[in-house]
Amino acid sequence: MDEQTRMMQTLAGAAMAGHSIQGGMTLPPPHSHDGGDGDGRKQDIGDILHQIMTITDQSLDEAQAKKHALNCHRMKPALFSVLCEIKEKTGLSIRGAQEEDPPDPQLMRLDNMLLAEGVSGPEKGGGAAAAAAAAAASGGSSDNSIEHSDYRAKLSQIRQIYHTELEKYEQACNEFTTHVMNLLREQSRTRPISPKEIERMVGIIHRKFSSIQMQLKQSTCEAVMILRSRFLDARRKRRNFSKQATEILNEYFYSHLSNPYPSEEAKEELAKKCSITVSQVSNWFGNKRIRYKKNIGKFQEEANLYAAKTAVNAAHAVAAAVQNNQTSSPTTPNSGSSGSFNLPNSGDMYMNMQSLNGDSYQGAQVGANVQSQVDTLRHVISQTGGYSDALGGNSLYSPHHLNANGGWHETATPSSVTSPTEGPGSVNSDTSN
DNA sequence: TGCAATGATTAAGT
DNA sequence: ACTTAATCATTGCA
């Protein structure tokens, strides 16, 4: 109110100084100060200002009547232009004080995150339908894919809500802006409003709405974070593999005991057969190798079980392989190695077979077969060799695959080397052929 | 409820 | 990129 009064006084002064105001008043002056011509004008303006100031104190009808009277007052145009001048000056100072603020770093961070999460920005093949389709395409049996599609469906839900809300806010913002602009335009007939002022007002409205939008973005980010953490927790949750899957993995492990490092292809094959992911296969083998090495004695029983399980098949397959190779090569690679646990690795075998056989694919298969089957047979032989002591006796078999440091790597070839020796479908051929 | 088994994660090494 | 070794966290059994 103080400011307003001050402005009015300024206005009165400015009107006095810059414009020639003449004529009498249609309204009775509240205070009758006597004086000269100047005093009369001053009184006029004072009266008008007083009426303006007290207009809100009166009833609506009274105020309307007074407003009309003031509007028709002969001094109105003059006062109006002075008011415009003052407003222009104060408007400039306000604009100078709050210039366009730089882009909010927090808002940018939120935007970036929403973009990265696929909530904002172009839809990247997501959506509940796409997620469901992806789950169906992958067989839908894997928990992982179910969880994944679930995650994507939830994310899509968040995305949808986010966009709906954003749209609503934008619409509300536009509506409100239009409304305010109309109001200002209407008011500009009775009070001075410059286009710049309207612009400024629009800016204020937009800023207000963008702050609301930021809250929306923040909430969306939080929702995504919660979803993410829940999803990751769910993934972290351990689920035992099916009995069948464990069996398949164990069969592979014990039939490749000299080099239990499945190649990428073998891992993929195992993953497919066990309905788990390749990384789960890797995890399993990593754990298995470590745990086997740490406590060989404990795994003897298991090793025997799987060895016996595949022994018959292996014997048959080896016999077949030997017979097959005898036709093309007089010196069978595995004949030389059968007496020792320090076998040449399957890569070498493959090279021999390939060069002798001429048929690379068959050679590769036979090479892999012989390697794994000899592993199994060796185990069976060692088990039936009269070693009754569980640890001492059996350790004659297994630890031979390990070097002095307890590692497989000294004698065994890493998967990256052996993998080319195993042709397509080598996993199947290892144990079941 | 305690404990072993086991899948997953992480740091460090190659 | 892959492995080892240690560790975490959950599951399942007695």
Side-chain angles (χ1 to χ4, degrees):
Chain A
M1 204 40 142
D2 228 19
E3 187 66 20
Q4 207 175 351
T5 319
R6 200 179 52 76
M7 252 187 78
M8 290 303 185
Q9 280 164 355
T10 315
L11 175 65
M16 287 264 302
H19 303 271
S20 60
I21 301 163
Q22 342 151 341
M25 291 285 298
T26 51
L27 297 161
H31 314 292
S32 52
H33 286 273
D34 241 346
D37 213 3
D39 275 354
R41 283 199 297 260
K42 202 174 174 180
Q43 205 173 341
D44 268 2
I45 295 161
D47 281 341
I48 293 169
L49 292 178
H50 182 259
Q51 285 172 55
I52 292 169
M53 299 285 283
T54 57
I55 202 161
T56 50
D57 298 338
Q58 286 147 7
S59 72
L60 201 64
D61 284 347
E62 244 179 324
Q64 281 288 348
K66 201 161 271 181
K67 191 179 136 192
H68 183 70
L70 281 166
N71 240 353
C72 301
H73 198 279
R74 63 189 167 80
M75 281 176 66
K76 187 230 167 183
L79 279 168
F80 193 86
S81 66
V82 173
L83 201 57
C84 279
E85 239 173 75
I86 292 165
K87 281 212 73 173
E88 183 65 27
K89 277 174 189 164
T90 53
L92 277 172
S93 70
I94 289 166
R95 262 199 308 282
Q98 44 172 22
E99 258 312 311
E100 282 178 30
D101 40 4
D104 190 351
Q106 201 192 345
L107 185 65
M108 278 173 72
R109 216 173 48 239
L110 289 172
D111 277 337
N112 285 340
M113 195 194 144
L114 289 171
L115 204 64
E117 291 296 334
V119 175
S120 64
E123 191 157 357
K124 35 184 178 185
S138 65
S141 56
S142 160
D143 277 356
N144 204 351
S145 73
I146 288 166
E147 276 167 16
H148 191 66
S149 70
D150 200 36
Y151 172 76
R152 281 168 56 126
K154 290 241 159 64
L155 194 66
S156 160
Q157 227 174 329
I158 290 172
R159 184 193 161 93
Q160 203 174 352
I161 292 165
Y162 170 76
H163 281 290
T164 313
E165 290 297 309
L166 205 64
E167 212 171 298
K168 260 196 241 169
Y169 286 161
E170 263 163 24
Q171 203 182 337
C173 181
N174 287 339
E175 273 175 21
F176 191 71
T177 307
T178 313
H179 178 74
V180 168
M181 277 173 77
N182 286 339
L183 211 66
L184 288 174
R185 260 193 227 109
E186 199 184 306
Q187 283 193 359
S188 69
R189 280 185 292 172
T190 51
R191 69 185 183 92
I193 299 166
S194 65
K196 277 186 180 174
E197 205 185 336
I198 294 174
E199 204 177 294
R200 198 168 60 84
M201 193 62 98
V202 170
I204 289 167
I205 293 165
H206 282 184
R207 267 198 293 279
K208 275 282 166 209
F209 272 92
S210 76
S211 81
I212 296 168
Q213 275 187 7
M214 192 157 95
Q215 281 174 22
L216 171 70
K217 283 174 181 173
Q218 209 155 9
S219 315
T220 310
C221 277
E222 276 169 22
V224 171
M225 280 305 187
I226 290 164
L227 179 70
R228 237 171 186 276
S229 68
R230 274 188 195 159
F231 175 67
L232 289 175
D233 281 353
R235 269 178 61 192
R236 195 185 169 82
K237 244 183 186 177
R238 194 175 63 75
R239 269 262 176 89
N240 285 359
F241 296 159
S242 70
K243 219 174 166 184
Q244 200 185 358
T246 314
E247 216 158 284
I248 292 165
L249 293 167
N250 272 317
E251 269 178 26
Y252 188 94
F253 180 79
Y254 288 110
S255 63
H256 292 76
L257 210 48
S258 67
N259 183 31
Y261 297 86
S263 66
E264 196 54 40
E265 292 82 32
K267 279 181 193 170
E268 278 170 22
E269 189 76 27
L270 284 168
K272 214 156 102 182
K273 281 172 85 175
C274 300
S275 300
I276 55 176
T277 64
V278 172
S279 49
Q280 281 179 306
V281 173
S282 298
N283 284 339
W284 190 92
F285 273 89
N287 284 323
K288 191 74 183 180
R289 281 190 297 263
I290 282 290
R291 283 160 189 168
Y292 177 83
K293 209 169 79 178
K294 262 187 176 174
N295 197 348
I296 292 163
K298 200 180 77 182
F299 286 95
Q300 276 310 308
E301 208 177 319
E302 191 178 71
N304 296 343
L305 195 79
Y306 284 101
K309 213 171 176 175
T310 54
V312 179
N313 287 342
H316 283 309
V318 168
V322 167
Q323 202 171 12
N324 188 30
N325 283 300
Q326 270 172 350
T327 60
S328 57
S329 72
T331 52
T332 326
N334 73 336
S335 65
S337 62
S338 60
S340 165
F341 288 114
N342 287 325
L343 277 171
N345 62 44
S346 55
D348 294 338
M349 250 198 250
Y350 165 64
M351 291 303 282
N352 293 339
M353 300 274 230
Q354 193 179 29
S355 56
L356 292 167
N357 219 3
D359 183 351
S360 64
Y361 175 64
Q362 194 186 6
Q365 278 208 318
V366 170
N369 280 344
V370 172
Q371 173 62 59
S372 64
Q373 286 147 4
V374 165
D375 276 341
T376 310
L377 277 178
R378 242 187 269 137
H379 189 166
V380 174
I381 291 161
S382 77
Q383 292 305 297
T384 54
Y387 299 106
S388 54
D389 180 39
L391 266 173
N394 292 343
S395 64
L396 271 175
Y397 156 63
S398 308
H400 280 81
H401 298 291
L402 311 173
N403 62 24
N405 300 324
W408 271 283
H409 277 218
E410 197 173 288
T411 51
T413 316
S415 60
S416 56
V417 181
T418 48
S419 60
T421 71
E422 300 183 0
S426 62
V427 174
N428 286 330
S429 65
D430 284 338
T431 53
S432 56
N433 284 356

